[in-house]
Amino acid sequence: MAGESTQRMASEDLGRAKNAYERARFMRAISGTIPFSLVVAFAMIFGTRREIGLPLGVALLGLAAFSLHRGGLFGRAVLPGIVAGIFPLLLAFAARACGHVCMGDSCMSLCVPACSMGGLVAGAGLAWLGLRTKMAPTFFVAAFGFTLLTGALGCSCVGSAGVLGLFAGLVVPLLPALGIRRHA
Amino acid sequence: MEETRRRELERDFQRLQGGDRSALEPAFRILFPIVRSFAARLLSPAESEDAAQLTLEKVFARIDQYDAGRPVLPWVLAIAEWECRTLRQRTRRRKEDTDVTLEKKRTEDESPEGNAARHEELQQVFQAMGELSETDRLALREFFFDHDEVADANARKRKQRALERLRLVVRRLYGW
């Protein structure tokens, strides 16, 4: 009888310990996304259209909170992914500030080349980090997602073309790195 | 704690820090008896259960503060010791508050206003006794003035019944 009562108390205490653990992780995940909300706010202030910035920002912060709460490779991908995405974001804003470049009769926006270049550099950085720390393929995929969402805040400057440029730039260095880690 | 269990616990804590929930139950099962017996040395059985439960909740809530690479047990027992101390202080404060309340009541009763109120109540009781039967009055006289420990069960019952009837009369006449 005493044994049963002790076991029941232990399993009740285990339940409470699990709840305390999850609650704390949840609160840390929410507070962990606060710095990233500054990135979204920065993007909205410096030019991202609201109809694009808001859904992208909500998706980015929601995924960040979820990944931080979940932990593991998803959680570890949040910070490097978003930091990497700031590079194409800033390049896109710089390109917008430059306006159009005209050669002869034709003019073009620098947004797409800036985003492709930004994606390339960001992807290379993530690939280097992932290979150096021997991360599993999930890390590369998750970090790619965060970089794309962050960069898209700026690279939507000429609509989907900028985002596609970013995507292409990211994929070029990340795919080989992903392949290496898959076969490691 | 033996070396293998200690290493197991440290690995579980590192996994928990990374978000691996499957490490929680094994870590809990190792810590639960240790924390319980630690708390039992410092507190009463009921309090030690509370302290152990609060300790384990705090340990798993603050697992991100655990310094991986350092031993787990001293960190856990430091939290346990803090919880035990807090619980002991709370119990002491509660007891002091009760003592203060009782002392305050005693002081109020002994004040002139308290004395006057008690005197009035006593007068009301004596007047209410006038409404009772002779048998009840006799039984109550013994209760109030003789304070004899009556061994006879019938006499005790008479006193009990007389007191109940007196309470009813007092309530009817004076409302308390």
Side-chain angles (χ1 to χ4, degrees), chain A residues 16 21-22 24 28 69-70 72, chain B residues 16 18 21 36 53 61 64:
Chain A
R16 282 195 203 98
Y21 174 75
E22 292 295 343
R28 277 197 298 275
H69 179 250
R70 193 190 155 152
Chain B
L16 277 166
R21 273 82 168 162
R36 265 182 87 203
Q53 179 206 310
D64 63 312

Side-chain angles (χ1 to χ4, degrees), chain A:
Chain A
M1 202 68 150
E4 270 177 32
S5 149
T6 309
Q7 268 186 359
R8 196 179 56 246
M9 269 192 309
S11 64
E12 279 171 10
D13 286 351
L14 173 62
R16 282 195 203 98
K18 281 182 180 166
N19 288 339
Y21 174 75
E22 292 295 343
R23 258 196 320 269
R25 277 200 79 87
F26 177 76
M27 292 311 297
R28 277 197 298 275
I30 297 297
S31 59
T33 57
I34 290 172
F36 305 137
S37 65
L38 295 176
V39 174
V40 175
F42 168 83
M44 304 272 286
I45 289 167
F46 285 97
T48 306
R49 292 200 307 272
R50 196 177 294 177
E51 56 268 27
I52 294 172
L54 266 176
L56 277 176
V58 166
L60 177 65
L61 295 177
L63 274 172
F66 173 78
S67 300
L68 287 172
H69 179 250
R70 193 190 155 152
L73 289 166
F74 283 94
R76 279 197 256 178
V78 174
L79 182 63
I82 292 179
V83 168
I86 289 174
F87 191 65
L89 170 68
L90 291 176
L91 274 185
F93 284 148
R96 194 183 307 180
C98 287
H100 287 77
V101 169
C102 295
M103 280 184 291
D105 285 338
S106 59
C107 296
M108 62 175 266
S109 163
L110 289 173
C111 181
V112 175
C115 288
S116 304
M117 180 60 67
L120 203 62
V121 172
L126 286 175
W128 173 82
L129 177 69
L131 287 172
R132 191 163 175 268
T133 51
K134 297 186 171 55
M135 290 289 191
T138 311
F139 170 82
F140 293 95
V141 174
F144 169 84
F146 285 114
T147 307
L148 188 66
L149 278 173
T150 309
L153 284 168
C155 291
S156 52
C157 43
V158 286
S160 53
V163 179
L164 279 172
L166 169 64
F167 181 92
L170 273 172
V171 156
V172 164
L174 274 179
L175 266 182
L178 183 63
I180 292 169
R181 288 305 304 150
R182 279 190 76 179
H183 292 105

Side-chain angles (χ1 to χ4, degrees), chain B residues 52-172:
Chain B
Q53 179 206 310
L54 287 168
T55 299
L56 289 169
E57 279 184 45
K58 285 220 169 111
V59 161
F60 289 106
R62 292 179 187 176
I63 201 137
D64 63 312
Q65 294 172 20
Y66 159 68
D67 190 355
R70 287 183 163 239
V72 170
L73 213 48
W75 184 72
V76 171
L77 293 180
I79 296 174
E81 198 271 335
W82 176 259
E83 284 306 318
C84 290
R85 200 182 325 154
T86 307
L87 215 59
R88 211 174 340 163
Q89 280 173 355
R90 209 177 294 156
T91 308
R92 198 182 305 135
R93 234 176 278 133
R94 215 179 296 137
K95 186 178 174 302
E96 280 170 6
D97 285 348
T98 308
D99 288 346
V100 163
T101 307
L102 285 174
E103 177 60 26
K104 193 173 164 216
K105 189 172 182 335
R106 193 184 67 78
T107 312
E108 275 172 0
D109 286 349
E110 285 177 357
S111 67
E113 293 82 11
N115 281 337
R118 261 212 331 274
H119 180 75
E120 194 187 329
E121 280 168 10
L122 216 50
Q123 287 295 106
Q124 287 171 351
V125 166
F126 286 139
Q127 278 167 14
M129 275 172 77
E131 303 248 334
L132 300 176
S133 66
E134 186 59 37
T135 320
D136 284 345
R137 280 205 295 272
L138 207 64
L140 287 173
R141 208 171 294 148
E142 285 171 12
F143 175 75
F144 278 116
F145 299 109
D146 297 345
H147 293 284
D148 279 345
E149 283 303 319
V150 180
D152 180 42
N154 288 333
R156 278 204 305 274
K157 275 187 193 153
R158 276 202 304 274
K159 271 169 46 174
Q160 195 56 43
R161 279 198 290 268
L163 267 175
E164 279 164 18
R165 282 193 273 269
L166 178 63
R167 280 195 196 103
L168 287 171
V169 172
V170 167
R171 200 174 300 154
R172 180 169 51 83

